[in-house]
Amino acid sequence: MTSKPVSLKVLAAHLGLTVGTVSRALNNYADISPVTRERVKRAADELGYRANQNARRLSIGNPETVGYLMPRFGNSIAQPFSAQLLQGLGEALSRRSWDLLVVQSDSSKDELAHIERMVRSGRVGGLVISRPAKNDARIRLLQELKCPFVVHGRTASCADYAWYDVDGEDAFVTAVNHLIELGHSRIAFVGAPLQHQFAQDRLNGYTRALEENGLTADPELIQIAEFSDDGGEIATNMLLELSNPPTAVVCLSDTMALGALAAIRAHGLQPGVDVSVIGYDGLKFGVHSNPPLTTMAQPQAHAGRRLGDMLLSIIDGDEPSQHQELRRAHLVRRKTDGPLHLTTAQTNVSNREETT
Amino acid sequence: MTSKPVSLKVLAAHLGLTVGTVSRALNNYADISPVTRERVKRAADELGYRANQNARRLSIGNPETVGYLMPRFGNSIAQPFSAQLLQGLGEALSRRSWDLLVVQSDSSKDELAHIERMVRSGRVGGLVISRPAKNDARIRLLQELKCPFVVHGRTASCADYAWYDVDGEDAFVTAVNHLIELGHSRIAFVGAPLQHQFAQDRLNGYTRALEENGLTADPELIQIAEFSDDGGEIATNMLLELSNPPTAVVCLSDTMALGALAAIRAHGLQPGVDVSVIGYDGLKFGVHSNPPLTTMAQPQAHAGRRLGDMLLSIIDGDEPSQHQELRRAHLVRRKTDGPLHLTTAQTNVSNREETT
DNA sequence: ACGCTAACCGAAAGCGGTTTCGGAAAGCAA
DNA sequence: TTGCTTTCCGAAACCGCTTTCGGTTAGCGT
């Protein structure tokens, strides 16, 4: 279907030169006279010549491409991050005119197979993965394949690979501290299964902050559910129906926090006055929730760009361990954090309503 | 850095065969005896052999890759669709083990340059673009390059290329009709600049529905602003401060609708009772807005998959015009559409407040 | 005039596969 | 045994580009 592009051969013939000469001319070799160099270049873009990249990359032995493993997402409300991250990655790569390949897999098993195929077949020169599991098989695989990679997030043993992460533990420490300063002491944690490292990190921050303030972490107040708004709602329902419900809850993500708000409202309670909630992510949508969601916002803007630059450096030969970047999230107060309102929260426990 | 992968040559040497034989064995040629075929395959995956794709694709003259042009997004709140769409595209492509390249550009000019480079350099065998402008230069370029492509969305003259779109005009007709059935007659349109075809389509639906109901479209009631929540808020503020404000407003997107809700609340009015609003997109977040947003939901789930399949078919030789798919959006009623409340809406006009 | 260096380009060998073609060995019929 | 297919594999060309290596020509000093 596609019209045949002009090759180096026809360009050379057109010029009465050999392919080698033309190639060197286009690549600014010193052994080509300035006049023929210009002549070649003029002819090249008159004929619309573009070097075939498959051929070129085969020849130079460099795929000039990196892969991005899309995180598999359930029914998460939004992945606004993916887009931003891809954009940043693309920026970093385009400065060298490298390409960005996105890869996705259904199961974690064929994700590994995918990775192996990608790197063994020379399709990518590096990979960026995100949301590592606690003992992520992908990381081990990439290490033994000796394939450069960076990870968005990090695991417990992250000493010898490159990563960019925002400190979830720290974030939840400040979130909980903030709630304690507001007078709360029964603070709950709404989380998701702990196979993902970030889920564990944030839980750790929660418990650490409690301990540091001399509060004992009540196991009842730790609710694990599906990583979605529905999960957040279910978990929060459980919490509110406890005999001694929390007066504040920190949520693993803004998405889960939205579910928490729904649950609270459904119980006839008022988020931010009867029970406070703090989310995590800093989704812009949070401005429009009911009421606007207080959250720990992560500096997401430059993640992709940084990740891309790091990966490129490593491919250039840098030691992966030199490229580790930890950012902090910051509290953005909107309307769901408020001072303790003991009476209201403790009385309206038995309301059970349904959200639409 | 990467450890050298085993090539066909070493595999052949290891087996005491020639590369040609090994290649044919792996590709199930009939002129290879079953026993050596199996022997070769066993050895191949024992040694972890993977055909170098650059070499392979160069040889077969097929990039086996399609590109996705990421829509440039300004400060739009989120691109939740991109992720889903990429996922669908990936699915379609992976069934043939084709690759997906994402491309993005800062300006529309180097987007064209990008495209030309991509196809001329044989990096991609096809392209998918989205959100076409009214007379999209990319489409013309791709046509003259004779490069297979599909577009997500469509322009006015869409007869001779392939596209997948949901009928924005129809959607806004049903939205406006719904509002009229609820008793509204002063219905406003909050939109964005009309260079994008979808913005025009939806406006057309708005005006058409008005006409079909014997209502005259009041130019005052058509507000064009930036394509974002802030834009929606600004536009709605203008509307509410009219001497004869609307009692309902349809918004170009859910994101803009969220801004509209904010403006309405800031005027001390109640969305869904004092002034109705209907968005477009069907964002899941709409459930959590204040109040939950009524919207025209588009069937987004399969877009990527369909687009991918279409593109592959066209690359296989199908006529592009055979692959045109128009889907309909459907109304999902939440809480921002309600019957006409004349009194309240007409009196609270002069409130001016600020949102945070 | 000679020799020597520098400037410039052609030739050719890869890169790692695919695919066509031809020929040797094996099978079968006569 | 001869002759003729099959079966199976090796040889080699090719995909389009890069890069090294020589060799020719021009320019220079003497």
Side-chain angles (χ1 to χ4, degrees):
Chain A
M1 215 55 350
T2 318
S3 64
K4 224 172 181 51
V6 309
S7 69
L8 203 50
K9 188 157 60 177
V10 321
L11 178 56
H14 177 79
L15 283 163
L17 294 173
T18 63
V19 292
T21 304
V22 174
S23 171
R24 274 169 300 156
L26 292 174
N27 291 323
N28 299 318
Y29 273 55
D31 65 346
I32 299 294
S33 87
V35 0
T36 65
R37 188 206 320 284
E38 287 315 310
R39 193 166 70 97
V40 168
K41 288 191 175 178
R42 270 236 323 281
D45 57 43
E46 274 171 10
L47 297 193
Y49 168 79
R50 301 281 177 187
N52 180 299
Q53 292 297 328
N54 276 322
R56 181 170 162 276
R57 287 166 176 173
L58 168 61
S59 187
I60 66 179
N62 188 339
E64 293 188 336
T65 301
V66 313
Y68 171 65
L69 290 183
M70 288 262 281
R72 293 188 300 282
F73 60 111
N75 41 4
S76 176
I77 263 197
Q79 299 295 82
F81 290 171
S82 285
Q84 272 194 55
L85 201 131
L86 282 178
Q87 160 138 329
L89 277 176
E91 261 177 41
L93 296 176
S94 71
R95 290 158 48 96
R96 296 210 195 175
S97 56
W98 278 46
D99 286 335
L100 178 58
L101 216 55
V102 316
V103 192
Q104 53 218 344
S105 327
D106 306 325
S107 73
S108 137
K109 289 175 187 175
D110 60 36
E111 187 171 26
L112 290 178
H114 252 141
I115 293 178
E116 192 194 321
R117 190 138 32 88
M118 285 278 148
V119 343
R120 281 240 164 87
S121 70
R123 253 191 289 226
V124 297
L127 241 29
V128 9
I129 70 185
S130 40
R131 293 198 175 167
K134 270 182 178 170
N135 187 355
D136 202 294
R138 300 171 300 176
I139 294 181
R140 292 199 307 274
L141 176 58
L142 285 169
Q143 285 181 144
E144 88 186 25
L145 286 173
K146 297 199 199 310
C147 173
F149 69 98
V150 297
V151 5
H152 189 200
R154 71 194 201 281
T155 58
S157 57
C158 59
D160 44 350
Y161 59 84
W163 46 264
Y164 175 102
D165 196 11
V166 0
D167 193 333
E169 180 171 340
D170 173 79
F172 273 67
V173 168
T174 85
V176 169
N177 280 339
H178 176 68
L179 291 171
I180 290 175
E181 283 170 14
L182 288 174
H184 298 273
S185 59
R186 277 195 75 72
I187 302 170
F189 178 87
V190 165
L194 300 176
Q195 51 256 32
H196 282 297
Q197 184 63 43
F198 71 85
Q200 180 70 63
D201 290 343
R202 297 175 198 174
L203 176 54
N204 291 347
Y206 163 80
T207 56
R208 201 185 91 198
L210 251 33
E211 286 170 9
E212 288 177 354
N213 285 275
L215 266 32
T216 59
D218 184 345
E220 266 188 349
L221 295 184
I222 298 182
Q223 280 292 334
I224 302 300
E226 189 191 75
F227 186 44
S228 68
D229 54 345
D230 288 338
E233 184 168 352
I234 292 171
T236 307
N237 277 332
M238 307 283 285
L239 290 169
L240 294 178
E241 284 157 16
L242 253 31
S243 56
N244 188 10
T247 63
V249 21
V250 291
C251 297
L252 186 62
S253 74
D254 281 354
T255 298
M256 293 195 84
L258 292 175
L261 297 186
I264 293 167
R265 291 194 309 264
H267 279 257
L269 267 22
Q270 208 175 336
V273 352
D274 296 322
V275 19
S276 290
V277 6
I278 300 186
Y280 178 94
D281 271 343
L283 290 193
K284 293 200 175 171
F285 275 132
V287 178
H288 297 287
S289 67
N290 180 16
L293 180 66
T294 295
T295 185
M296 298 300 302
Q298 46 172 318
Q300 187 68 20
H302 303 102
R305 180 57 189 276
R306 293 295 301 124
L307 252 358
D309 286 336
M310 289 162 86
L311 183 51
L312 253 15
S313 302
I314 293 169
I315 291 174
D316 284 345
D318 275 16
E319 204 57 41
S321 56
Q322 291 177 354
H323 295 278
Q324 301 177 334
E325 198 167 321
L326 189 60
R327 305 294 286 266
R328 300 185 58 170
H330 65 278
L331 176 68
V332 356
R333 295 191 66 178
R334 292 198 276 244
K335 302 295 182 194
T336 57
D337 62 310
L340 183 62
H341 261 220
L342 237 195
T343 50
T344 340
Q346 300 296 79
T347 52
N348 278 321
V349 167
S350 53
N351 282 0
R352 304 200 186 184
E353 298 182 6
E354 293 265 320
T355 52
T356 53
Chain B
M1 211 59 346
T2 317
S3 64
K4 224 171 180 52
V6 309
S7 68
L8 202 52
K9 189 156 59 178
V10 324
L11 179 56
H14 176 80
L15 284 162
L17 295 173
T18 63
V19 292
T21 304
V22 174
S23 172
R24 273 169 299 157
L26 293 173
N27 291 322
N28 299 319
Y29 273 57
D31 64 347
I32 299 294
S33 86
V35 359
T36 66
R37 189 207 318 286
E38 286 316 310
R39 194 166 69 98
V40 168
K41 288 190 175 179
R42 269 236 323 281
D45 56 44
E46 272 171 12
L47 297 192
Y49 168 79
R50 301 282 177 186
N52 180 300
Q53 292 298 326
N54 276 322
R56 181 168 164 278
R57 287 164 177 174
L58 167 60
S59 185
I60 66 178
N62 188 339
E64 292 187 338
T65 302
V66 312
Y68 172 65
L69 290 182
M70 287 263 281
R72 292 188 302 281
F73 59 111
N75 41 6
S76 175
I77 262 196
Q79 299 296 87
F81 289 171
S82 283
Q84 272 193 55
L85 200 131
L86 282 179
Q87 160 138 330
L89 276 177
E91 258 177 43
L93 296 176
S94 71
R95 291 158 49 97
R96 294 208 197 176
S97 56
W98 278 45
D99 286 335
L100 178 57
L101 217 54
V102 315
V103 192
Q104 54 219 344
S105 328
D106 307 325
S107 73
S108 136
K109 288 174 188 175
D110 58 37
E111 187 170 25
L112 291 177
H114 252 141
I115 293 177
E116 192 195 321
R117 191 139 32 87
M118 285 280 147
V119 343
R120 282 239 164 88
S121 69
R123 254 190 289 226
V124 297
L127 242 29
V128 11
I129 70 185
S130 41
R131 291 200 176 166
K134 270 182 177 169
N135 188 354
D136 203 294
R138 301 171 298 176
I139 294 179
R140 292 198 308 275
L141 176 59
L142 285 169
Q143 284 180 149
E144 89 187 25
L145 285 173
K146 297 198 199 311
C147 172
F149 69 98
V150 298
V151 3
H152 189 200
R154 70 194 202 280
T155 59
S157 58
C158 59
D160 44 351
Y161 58 84
W163 47 263
Y164 175 102
D165 196 12
V166 359
D167 194 333
E169 179 169 341
D170 172 80
F172 272 67
V173 167
T174 85
V176 168
N177 279 339
H178 176 67
L179 258 8
I180 289 174
E181 284 171 13
L182 288 173
H184 297 273
S185 59
R186 277 195 75 71
I187 301 170
F189 178 86
V190 165
L194 301 176
Q195 52 255 33
H196 282 298
Q197 184 62 42
F198 70 84
Q200 180 69 63
D201 288 343
R202 298 175 198 175
L203 175 55
N204 291 347
Y206 163 80
T207 56
R208 200 186 90 196
L210 251 33
E211 286 170 8
E212 288 178 354
N213 286 276
L215 266 30
T216 59
D218 184 346
E220 267 189 346
L221 294 185
I222 297 182
Q223 280 293 333
I224 302 299
E226 188 191 74
F227 187 45
S228 66
D229 54 345
D230 289 338
E233 183 168 354
I234 292 171
T236 307
N237 277 331
M238 307 282 286
L239 289 169
L240 294 178
E241 283 155 19
L242 253 30
S243 58
N244 188 10
T247 62
V249 18
V250 290
C251 297
L252 186 62
S253 73
D254 281 352
T255 299
M256 293 195 84
L258 292 176
L261 296 186
I264 292 167
R265 291 192 309 262
H267 275 77
L269 266 25
Q270 209 175 334
V273 352
D274 294 322
V275 17
S276 291
V277 4
I278 299 185
Y280 179 94
D281 269 343
L283 290 193
K284 290 201 177 172
F285 177 82
V287 177
H288 298 285
S289 67
N290 180 14
L293 180 65
T294 294
T295 185
M296 297 300 301
Q298 45 172 319
Q300 187 68 21
H302 303 101
R305 180 57 190 276
R306 290 297 299 124
L307 250 359
D309 287 337
M310 287 161 86
L311 183 51
L312 254 15
S313 301
I314 294 168
I315 292 175
D316 284 346
D318 275 16
E319 204 59 42
S321 55
Q322 291 177 354
H323 294 277
Q324 301 175 335
E325 198 166 322
L326 190 60
R327 305 293 287 265
R328 300 186 60 170
H330 64 277
L331 176 68
V332 357
R333 295 191 67 177
R334 292 200 276 245
K335 301 293 180 193
T336 59
D337 62 310
L340 182 63
H341 262 218
L342 237 197
T343 49
T344 341
Q346 301 294 80
T347 51
N348 279 319
V349 168
S350 51
N351 285 359
R352 304 199 187 185
E353 298 181 9
E354 294 266 319
T355 52
T356 52

